[in-house]
Amino acid sequence: KPLLQVSIYQTIKPAAPQSAGTTTMSDFATRKASNARLPPEVNRILYVRNLPFKITSEELYDIFGKYGAVYQIRLGDRSRDTRGTAFVVYEDIYDAKAAVDHLSGFNVGGRYLIVLYYQPAKFQRRIDAEEKKKELEELRRQVKAKKAAIAASEQKGGTDV
């Protein structure tokens, strides 16, 4: 016969009945904490800038994993213009919010991190602007070549007259 028997179940007393329209202050605080509305820009995908160029994904997992379960980390290429950037995807939006709140301005390897929520519309606008700039440069080059061709034909035509 064991000396001490421990139950893994707890006895829960039923709550005291309340009238239909009455809420206590603790009920309000609990509901507010569980239903706290997050700003619309809050996302579980984070965009991290100003990373040291030699940082590894394992080091990023160590840094960002302290705030919750990390689903994925994508590190920018070392040879391209995306170096020093990363995308960190959390499994829970509240973990992502905690990471942004605590890691923005965090010093890693002598550099201060810039941690932002990923905003696809903003990134698409930037890509569209770059494409339009390239298209505009191409059109300017074509106009300049056409003007040079017209000027050359006028000089040939002007000497014939």
Side-chain angles (χ1 to χ4, degrees):
K1 189 173 184 180
L3 296 174
L4 180 64
Q5 186 174 10
V6 179
S7 172
I8 58 171
Y9 299 100
Q10 293 181 349
T11 306
I12 301 173
K13 295 180 184 175
Q18 294 181 356
S19 62
T22 309
T23 57
T24 63
M25 194 61 166
S26 63
D27 291 341
F28 178 73
T30 305
R31 195 174 326 127
K32 185 176 179 187
S34 66
N35 291 336
R37 300 210 26 114
L38 295 173
E41 72 271 5
V42 175
N43 195 338
R44 66 185 195 104
I45 304 172
L46 305 181
Y47 176 62
V48 185
R49 294 186 355 212
N50 205 28
L51 286 166
F53 295 152
K54 297 189 183 224
I55 196 163
T56 64
S57 57
E58 289 81 18
E59 292 170 328
L60 282 176
Y61 271 107
D62 290 341
I63 294 168
F64 285 89
K66 293 177 183 175
Y67 299 98
V70 175
Y71 181 73
Q72 182 181 48
I73 288 183
R74 293 224 168 173
L75 201 54
D77 289 338
R78 293 177 190 243
S79 61
R80 303 176 95 197
D81 57 346
T82 58
R83 67 182 182 168
T85 64
F87 287 99
V88 179
V89 182
Y90 278 94
E91 291 186 7
D92 185 36
I93 194 168
Y94 292 101
D95 296 340
K97 183 177 182 338
V100 169
D101 293 344
H102 292 97
L103 291 176
S104 291
F106 188 73
N107 190 342
V108 175
R111 302 185 80 157
Y112 294 98
L113 297 184
I114 300 169
V115 184
L116 306 166
Y117 296 107
Y118 173 62
Q119 297 172 340
K122 188 175 183 180
F123 277 85
Q124 189 60 43
R125 280 192 301 242
R126 182 178 296 154
I127 291 169
D128 291 345
E130 289 174 2
E131 288 175 357
K132 287 180 182 179
K133 186 177 178 182
K134 288 178 183 176
E135 184 179 339
L136 186 61
E137 288 173 3
E138 177 64 24
L139 288 173
R140 285 182 178 158
R141 189 186 62 74
Q142 289 175 359
V143 167
K144 188 175 180 181
K146 196 163 247 182
K147 281 184 179 180
I150 291 172
S153 68
E154 285 179 357
Q155 282 182 345
K156 285 182 184 178
T159 56
D160 290 342
V161 177

